[in-house]
């Protein structure tokens, strides 16, 4: 008997019998169109597979839990868009449930408790909603920009033990709707179709199983045409290439990054297309940082093998990432090169080795290490961009340049110069919500609640937010502002929204840990502080360790602090000096003064980590 770990999505139509009673043929045809044009392509684009059609619903299997959740949310947002403006008796609402666990494989079918639980979760989901188990939450909590609302432990029908259940908070703000792999290919598909029609090419329609399963003989016997995906109207039907930073970020100057598929030089067919998989996973992780515009893998992989100047000309990319993966003994040796697009100059080369094994696990590990090295406010990409911004004459600096340069000063402990840079940027870009937020950070950091911070907030609320970066900082500053007002419930909700939008950014984790601690959420505050201190290979100073100390003190978990520090002096030798200093404090808090003294001696003998 074959078993494997899978994420299972269960979906069905709310009030299906009522809809069929009112308009059987019309309901059937619309459901068929939705399945062909939306559900099948999106599930496939998220590496899933429909394995069962169940009357008014379906069951789908996904290899990745993240893909499953993102697909479910995207499908619900698309359905909400299709239902918009329709009368109640014409709406088709879907409810969905998601669970992850072992499934039994029987040919194309799947069996087991995982499917049963997913189906029960779907039955208690709201119309247009997605209901997930705690097992799913554990896989995605720090990986998707979504909020999850706890519903408590629920006894599901025919399931022995209660299941901890969460609703996915699905904002219907279409401006923030994730762009799916299928949607990115719509224009290409349309252009191909136009060419085929113009050439007079005829083609047959392939019969596929219907969703829902046909119950009326006359309908089942018909051969409905395959419905083409709906295409948004546009003035120019030419398939668009990846947009430049000026367009993508509302003229803020956010840098565009394109990641090419890594060359797979292992010669091992059993590993699959390992290089492409690493690049895809890295793109997914890197795109979670609001600081960058990352070209999708669908678009970027089309440029494989082309010269960097051509890629830059067509995409507007400032940075190009390429790499390769080779076999080195029992390990995979991955080499990554960061190239500056406008000069075609190689800026940085990274080499990573990981044990060969399960290809998916290997891809995830390598992508995570690349993400930590390159991403975020202290990563290699920002370091290189800061050098570019610093070399520009004032007259050529963009809004993003002022944002980035001021943040470098702040991270290095020079708050007043940071404020001055942001204010200079505001003088040139007075409509910048982003720079209003950055000056607010200075005010709240220095003065907690202040009239100036309130004025900046009020002014920013009147300005348009032109990018995901603006939205992210709005949540962040809202959390800090409400915390300064002692409005902790709102502060906590905004802090969680900030982290959900950029789940791998260490600076926001550290900066908002205090908000959670002051609101009494000591466990979450500690979790965020640990993440910040253990996932940032480019820490500028000891600030992460001050945050970590405060978080452990709030949680009262000094034995765990000792365990963490002892592991990190080995795992993070670059910052071993700071970890020994933290270990000294942890032992002292436990009254272990001899051990504290020994840790202090080891730390004092080590050099300071190199400045970036």
């Amino acid at each position: 008997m074959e078993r494997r770990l899978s994420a299972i999505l269960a979906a069905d139509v709310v009030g299906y019998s009522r809809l069929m009673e009112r308009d059987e043929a019309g309901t059937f045809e619309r459901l068929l169109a939705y399945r062909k044009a939306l559900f099948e392509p999106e599930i496939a684009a998220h590496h899933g597979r429909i394995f069962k059609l169940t009357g008014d619903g379906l069951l789908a299997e996904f290899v990745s839990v993240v893909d499953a959740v993102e697909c479910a949310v995207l499908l619900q947002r698309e359905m909400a868009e299709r239902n918009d403006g329709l009368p109640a008796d014409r709406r088709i609402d879907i409810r969905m449930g998601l669970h992850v666990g072992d499934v039994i494989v029987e040919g194309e079918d799947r069996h087991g408790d995982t499917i049963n639980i997913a189906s029960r979760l779907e039955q208690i989901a709201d119309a247009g909603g997605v209901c997930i188990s705690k097992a799913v939450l554990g896989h995605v909590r720090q990986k998707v920009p979504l909020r999850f609302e706890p519903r408590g432990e629920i006894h599901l029908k025919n399931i022995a033990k209660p299941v901890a259940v969460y609703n996915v908070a699905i904002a219907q703000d279409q401006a923030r709707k994730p762009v799916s792999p299928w949607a990115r290919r719509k224009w290409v598909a349309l252009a191909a179709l136009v060419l085929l029609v113009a050439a007079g090419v005829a083609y047959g329609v392939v019969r596929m199983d219907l969703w829902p399963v046909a119950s009326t003989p006359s309908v089942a016997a018909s051969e409905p045409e395959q419905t083409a995906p709906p295409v948004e109207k546009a003035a120019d039907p030419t398939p668009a290439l990846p947009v430049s930073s000026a367009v993508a970020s509302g003229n803020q100057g956010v840098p565009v990054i394109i990641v090419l598929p890594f060359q797979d030089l292992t010669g091992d067919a059993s590993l699959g297309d390992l290089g492409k998989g690493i690049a895809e996973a890295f793109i997914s992780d890197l795109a979670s940082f609001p600081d960058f515009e990352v070209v999708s893998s669908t678009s970027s992989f089309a440029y494989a093998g082309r010269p960097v100047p051509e890629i830059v000309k067509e995409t507007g990319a400032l940075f190009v990432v390429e790499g390769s993966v080779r076999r080195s003994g029992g390990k995979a040796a991955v080499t990554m090169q960061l190239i500056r697009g406008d000069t075609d100059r190689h800026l940085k080369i990274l080499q990573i080795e990981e044990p060969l094994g399960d290809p998916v696990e290997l891809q995830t590990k390598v992508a995570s290490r690349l993400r930590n090295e390159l991403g975020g406010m202290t990563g290699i990409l920002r370091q290189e961009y800061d050098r570019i911004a610093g070399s520009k004459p004032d007259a050529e600096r963009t809004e993003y340049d002022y944002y980035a340069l001021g943040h470098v000063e702040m991270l290095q402990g020079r708050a007043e110069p940071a404020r001055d840079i942001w204010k200079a940027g505001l003088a040139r870009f007075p409509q910048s919500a982003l720079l209003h937020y950055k000056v607010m950070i200075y005010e709240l950091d220095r003065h907690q609640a202040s009239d100036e911070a309130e004025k900046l907030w009020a002014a920013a609320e009147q300005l348009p937010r032109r990018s995901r970066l603006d939205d992210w900082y709005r949540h962040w500053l809202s959390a800090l502002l409400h915390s300064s007002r002692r409005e902790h419930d709102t502060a906590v909700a905004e802090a969680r929204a900030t982290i959900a939008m950029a789940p791998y950014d260490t600076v926001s984790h550290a900066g908002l840990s205090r908000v959670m601690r002051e609101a009494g959420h000591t466990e979450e505050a500690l979790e965020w502080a640990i993440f910040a201190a253990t996932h940032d290979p480019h820490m500028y100073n000891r600030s992460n360790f001050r945050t970590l100390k405060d978080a452990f003190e709030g949680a009262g978990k000094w034995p765990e602090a000792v365990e963490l520090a002892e592991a990190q002096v080995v795992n993070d030798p670059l910052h071993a000096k700071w970890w020994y200093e933290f270990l000294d404090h942890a032992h002292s808090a436990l009254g272990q003064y001899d051990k504290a003294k020994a840790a202090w001696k080891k730390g004092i003998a080590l050099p300071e980590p190199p400045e970036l």
Side-chain angles (χ1 to χ4, degrees), residues 271 273-274 277-278 281 358-368:
L271 295 175
D273 200 340
L274 188 59
I278 288 171
D358 177 68
V360 174
E361 183 179 357
L362 177 60
Q363 290 165 12
T364 302
K365 283 183 178 180
V366 173
S368 296

Side-chain angles (χ1 to χ4, degrees), residues 25 154 200 216 226 240 250 283 292 388 472 477 488 522 552 589 601:
I154 297 178
T216 307
Q226 211 166 347
I283 288 170
F292 313 116
I388 294 170
W472 185 49
L477 268 298
H488 292 306
T522 54
F552 269 110
K601 285 184 175 180

Side-chain angles (χ1 to χ4, degrees), residues 5 11 37 64 186 240 287 368 382 478 486 499:
L5 188 70
S64 162
K186 283 181 180 177
S368 296
R382 274 294 295 273
S478 179
R486 318 305 294 173
I499 298 304

Side-chain angles (χ1 to χ4, degrees), residues 574-592:
L574 187 65
H575 300 100
K577 181 182 184 72
W578 295 347
W579 281 110
Y580 274 121
E581 290 175 358
F582 177 74
L583 185 58
D584 166 22
H585 189 94
H587 280 307
S588 295
L590 290 169
Q592 299 169 346

Side-chain angles (χ1 to χ4, degrees), residues 196-238:
L196 286 172
V197 172
V201 178
Y203 61 96
V205 178
V206 179
R207 169 75 180 183
M208 298 180 71
D209 291 334
L210 304 180
W211 175 51
V213 176
S215 57
T216 307
S218 60
V219 176
S222 66
E223 296 290 333
E225 284 191 7
Q226 211 166 347
T227 305
V231 180
E232 298 86 345
K233 293 180 180 179
D236 179 8
T238 305

Side-chain angles (χ1 to χ4, degrees), residues 42-63:
E42 288 300 349
I43 288 171
H46 287 82
H47 310 104
R49 183 184 68 88
I50 297 173
F51 65 88
K52 184 172 289 185
L53 297 168
T54 57
D56 61 335
L58 61 81
L59 292 167
E61 178 187 31
F62 294 80
V63 175

